Amino acid sequence: MNICVIGSGYVGLVTGAVFADMGNDVICVDVDENRIRTLQKGECPIYEPRLPEMISHNRREGRLEFTTSTAFAVRRSEIVFICVGTPPKEDGRTDLSQVEAASRDIAEALHESKIIVTKSTVPVGTGDFVRNVIEAHRHNGTSFEVVSNPEFLREGQAIRDTLQPDRIVIGTSSKEAAARLSELYRPLERPILITDMHSAEIIKYASNAFLATKISFINSVANLCERAGADVKAVAKGIGADARIGSAFLEAGLGYGGSCFPKDVDSLLHTSQDFGAPFEILTSVTAENDSRVPRFAQRVIDRLSNGGPRPLSGRSIAILGLAFKPDTDDMREAKSVEICSLLQKAGAALRAYDPVAVEKAKPIIGEENVEYCRNAYEAVQGADAAVIVTEWREFIQLNLSRLRDAMSQPIIFDGRNIYPPEQVAAAGIEYHSIGRPSAAPKENA
Ligand code: NAD
């Protein structure tokens, strides 16, 4: 099939590359000329495992192109995917300006029947909005269908998720559009769920809000464990063994970040409010999430305080992990930003390291009082404590004795519970984690 993808970000690029890999002819569009130039040169503008290889292969095979011209791409395509950003506005509602602009561009180029698919995460009713914008701006009465096909991929494993999604949701009242999209997705051999458009739009938000609720739930359990001297990992295992609950998303830590969960939970809160069906649970989910980093930073400050208004002045702290989660360079709503800011305000000098996100982090976290390092051992050199912010696999494999020897004071604050406390204590390091008793360093380590 001839397909066009409008918006070549994390979702658009992965979607375009995978459809091309399945044998379709795909054109990816973006308004960002630099991004398109980079892609046309054969480079990948984002870090996503397996994506650069898949893009290169399909470009070579002539199935994947990049352009800044929506009109050119739409004219050549039977199915048009909208994958532009839907960032939050200041009040927490969803900013649909990119969706609106893309819809206008599609309308301008419409000259024969098309299926317009919204893959961006959009509040319920946005499909109707897209239809209205296109109807208002098309030049003739060309027919078209608008379909909701929300995306569930996770950055860091986006190719796998796109090739093997748990389900594919197609929201439309048009039998023909549903059949055509089912045909497009059939080679993946995954469950396809056909619904009305409004239900499809809500499925995406309800899924993300439910997962966010699980995270805030286990984090609240972690707070109790800390007070009661229990181990949240053991509790999560006990809860997760119940098939009705499931073990996924029961990892206590610094809370959810990234470009999706925070904005999607906020958006659902507002949408529900606007429809007169307030979603009270989500207010608590957000409040718990917002409290995670200040609470954790306070533990660091309490342990290392020199007293005074800038209790960490003269202290050097290593920050391990900057991206919002492992296997991505995405810094949107990354917990590192808030932690670094709180520790800097308390007077600490930071030594930061991330396997891939350093360049994207620099303009966000800044370079004053932060030294960016080439690896974890360099970051902990002479530090009074190390703070683990992102659970990159390479941190799990660190040589703890080498870490201890490099530090001025061997103390780890682990915001992601990546080590068994006894292992860290056995290496002679004081260890503070989430929802588990702290461990004192073993003598003679
Ligand atoms: P992104 O910011 O990485 O990419 C969006 C791209 O759209 C940008 O490159 C931007 O320049 C381009 N764009 C904006 N307006 C345009 C226009 N009018 N025409 C052409 N291009 C335009 O965003 P993303 O992370 O890919 O997310 C896209 C959508 O998918 C959002 O609604 C998001 O909530 C949703 N989503 C994201 C993820 C994720 O993990 N990133 C997962 C599921 C769903």
Side-chain angles (χ1 to χ4, degrees), residues 323-339:
F324 91 89
K325 68 173 186 179
D327 294 317
T328 183
D329 60 352
D330 198 342
M331 284 294 297
R332 289 177 288 186
E333 297 284 323
K335 293 294 175 187
S336 61
V337 180
E338 195 184 352
I339 289 200

Side-chain angles (χ1 to χ4, degrees), residues 210-226 231-240 245-256 285 288 292 417 434-435:
F210 190 80
L211 294 171
T213 303
K214 271 186 112 176
I215 294 172
S216 280
F217 184 91
I218 198 64
N219 282 332
S220 300
V221 173
N223 295 342
L224 172 62
C225 288
E226 279 168 21
D231 178 344
V232 72
K233 280 222 166 199
V235 176
K237 206 167 173 188
I239 306 173
I245 296 172
S247 58
F249 281 77
L250 286 182
E251 265 132 38
L254 299 176
Y256 56 81
V285 167
E288 174 53 36
R292 299 308 295 167
N417 285 354
I434 305 277

